[in-house]
Amino acid sequence: MKLKAGIIGCGSITKFRHAPEYAANPFVEEIVFYDRNPERAELLASQYAGSVAASLDDLIADPTIDMISDCSSNEFHHINSVKALLGGKHVLCEKPISLTLEGAEQIVQAQKTSNKKLMIDHNQRFTKAHQKARQLIKRKELGEVLTFKTSFGHGGPELWGINKTNTTWFFSKDRSGLGVAGDLGIHKIDLLHYLLDDEIQQVSAFQGTLDKTTVTGEPIEVCDNLVCTLKTAKGRIGTGAFSWTYYGEEDNSTIIYLTGGILKIYHDSEYPLIVVEKDGAMAKYQLETIQTNDNQTSSGVIDSFVNSILHEHEPPVTGEDALVSLKVILAIMEAAETESIVHISGPMSKV
Ligand SMILES: NC(=O)c1ccc[n+]([C@@H]2O[C@H](COP(=O)([O-])OP(=O)(O)OC[C@H]3O[C@@H](n4cnc5c(N)ncnc54)[C@H](O)[C@@H]3O)[C@@H](O)[C@H]2O)c1
């Protein structure tokens, strides 16, 4: 069986992940591209021997398309993904699932109404070092998790996004909404839930716009740095640092401290996973390196989404999982704005 993919939004994440990974998947026969900036769609269609849809409605109305990647900017996910699901397509939606809980809930509800597959691109779950670390934690090979620290920072989205200037939508409050917290922080919240099999329930935070400016030299409307403290349902405590101002080198590392030692993930450029036992013994795993903005290797996300359709199983990152991570990020933003500790309540994800 061969599937046909549609992609909404033909910017950087489509160029570096969705288009090449659909094209490399043996069960995908064609990609139809749509962007409100048509030349971007045409460029990718010519590169991948695909076709172009004239409008979003045309893309969704095409009965030959089985699944759609929603790679539009953040403020459109709840509109485009809902339309695609209710139009009968399986949907792989980019993160953050939405800027608001209401938007995320609309997407989750549309999945339930349509009974189509919905997956959110929290790709950190798919890297080999994260998967191996989760396995070691689950098997309690180093005892119980006590504390953790996680970081995600690079030089900023103006170096990544398709238009490569400080006019990028990532810097606008209406469009990116949550700044670096929604861009990078949400990846690590999802990762912590996945690694620890636990959920963050209390948060405090500081955020700031420390360095990024608009083209006219004003500070951007959203935070470019955020540092938070986190407490989980199982009582573990840790920190998160998310930054668009780590110039010169990306940091995508997580360290987990357990009763029997330490797991250092993407902390060493040569060894993606280092296990340090309590007595100092060390095991270094030479697993694949993580994708960075400058080094985009296959994420495995598209293969996993396609498999969930072909084999009719639940995708590994559901809308509900992403909604829970969004809830944590919104709580972190509230904590930073009100300089208080915010408690998170409500439904938990399945991890
Ligand atoms: N999972 C990840 O690791 C990861 C990494 C980067 C970006 N992203 C996410 O992917 C999404 C896109 O980011 P990007 O880096 O590709 O941005 P980008 O600015 O490079 O490209 C966005 C593209 O979408 C198009 N677009 C926006 N809204 C549209 C709409 N309503 N209809 C049609 N086209 C539309 C724009 O014209 C542009 O070509 C964002 O939600 C972002 O957070 C995820």
Side-chain angles (χ1 to χ4, degrees):
M1 181 182 170
K2 291 268 190 182
L3 301 173
K4 196 160 159 180
I7 302 183
I8 306 168
C10 299
S12 293
I13 197 63
T14 294
K15 181 174 158 190
F16 292 115
R17 181 170 308 161
H18 293 253
E21 293 189 24
Y22 277 126
N25 186 296
F27 301 102
V28 178
E29 62 180 355
E30 197 197 328
I31 313 172
V32 184
F33 296 91
Y34 168 67
D35 196 294
R36 52 185 189 170
N37 199 325
E39 59 274 22
R40 290 182 188 159
E42 276 151 23
L43 184 68
L44 289 178
S46 67
Q47 214 175 321
Y48 289 97
S51 55
V52 172
S55 69
L56 179 65
D57 289 342
D58 281 2
L59 185 80
I60 292 171
D62 182 342
T64 67
I65 293 177
D66 303 283
M67 59 204 168
I68 285 186
S69 275
D70 182 357
C71 301
S72 56
S73 43
N74 300 350
E75 81 280 23
F76 286 110
H77 294 173
H78 69 292
I79 300 169
N80 295 338
S81 288
V82 166
K83 266 195 171 185
L85 284 163
L86 297 182
K89 311 301 184 197
H90 304 291
V91 169
L92 171 58
C93 175
E94 265 306 336
K95 48 48 63 174
I97 180 171
S98 178
L99 299 182
T100 62
L101 277 186
E102 297 71 34
E105 279 159 2
Q106 284 168 23
I107 297 176
V108 168
Q109 187 52 50
Q111 186 281 318
K112 291 197 170 95
T113 307
S114 66
N115 205 22
K116 293 286 159 183
K117 305 290 177 210
L118 168 65
M119 178 164 158
I120 313 299
D121 187 5
H122 281 300
N123 54 300
Q124 298 247 334
R125 294 187 188 207
F126 296 87
T127 78
K128 293 280 182 291
H130 288 147
Q131 291 183 343
K132 180 78 186 164
R134 174 176 153 100
Q135 200 183 60
L136 295 174
I137 293 169
K138 217 176 172 124
R139 290 194 200 140
K140 298 193 188 295
E141 299 215 1
L142 289 176
E144 298 293 336
V145 173
L146 300 172
T147 65
F148 55 86
K149 55 186 186 195
T150 190
S151 308
F152 196 176
H154 56 51
E158 74 277 30
L159 308 171
W160 155 269
I162 196 80
N163 77 357
K164 302 274 181 296
T165 74
N166 287 34
T167 60
T168 175
W169 63 267
F170 282 99
F171 287 173
S172 129
K173 180 89 186 151
D174 292 346
R175 304 194 59 198
S176 99
L178 305 159
V180 72
D183 186 35
L184 305 184
I186 203 159
H187 273 300
K188 291 302 188 189
I189 299 301
D190 179 74
L191 176 69
L192 288 170
H193 289 169
Y194 169 79
L195 285 179
L196 305 180
D197 206 5
D198 199 356
E199 261 167 25
I200 292 154
Q201 283 201 330
Q202 289 180 56
V203 300
S204 66
F206 288 104
Q207 59 99 14
T209 306
L210 305 183
D211 195 49
K212 295 294 180 195
T213 54
T214 64
V215 277
T216 52
E218 304 296 317
I220 61 168
E221 297 169 350
V222 291
C223 57
D224 59 22
N225 278 276
L226 187 138
V227 177
C228 53
T229 57
L230 309 164
K231 184 170 181 182
T232 73
K234 294 180 184 168
R236 288 90 168 244
I237 52 178
T239 57
F242 314 125
S243 178
W244 280 339
T245 63
Y246 288 0
Y247 300 120
E249 193 177 40
E250 185 164 322
D251 182 359
N252 210 327
S253 64
T254 300
I255 306 183
I256 314 277
Y257 299 89
L258 305 99
T259 51
I262 304 170
L263 291 174
K264 296 184 176 182
I265 314 166
Y266 298 115
H267 192 256
D268 181 279
S269 56
E270 206 176 333
Y271 297 100
L273 178 64
I274 296 177
V275 179
V276 186
E277 292 184 38
K278 205 171 185 172
D279 63 2
M282 209 180 273
K284 296 180 172 185
Y285 291 85
Q286 225 163 7
L287 304 161
E288 73 189 0
T289 55
I290 199 165
Q291 303 93 28
T292 66
N293 279 359
D294 302 325
N295 174 31
Q296 290 288 325
T297 51
S298 175
S299 70
V301 168
I302 273 75
D303 289 348
S304 171
F305 175 56
V306 170
N307 278 344
S308 73
I309 297 168
L310 290 174
H311 304 297
E312 296 185 15
H313 61 69
E314 190 173 67
V317 193
T318 64
E320 284 89 347
D321 295 334
L323 192 146
V324 172
S325 294
L326 176 67
K327 231 180 206 182
V328 175
I329 287 294
L330 291 172
I332 288 172
M333 296 305 286
E334 184 187 336
E337 275 152 32
T338 57
E339 298 187 358
S340 61
I341 295 171
V342 174
H343 295 247
I344 299 151
S345 58
M348 298 280 164
S349 68
K350 66 172 167 50
V351 291

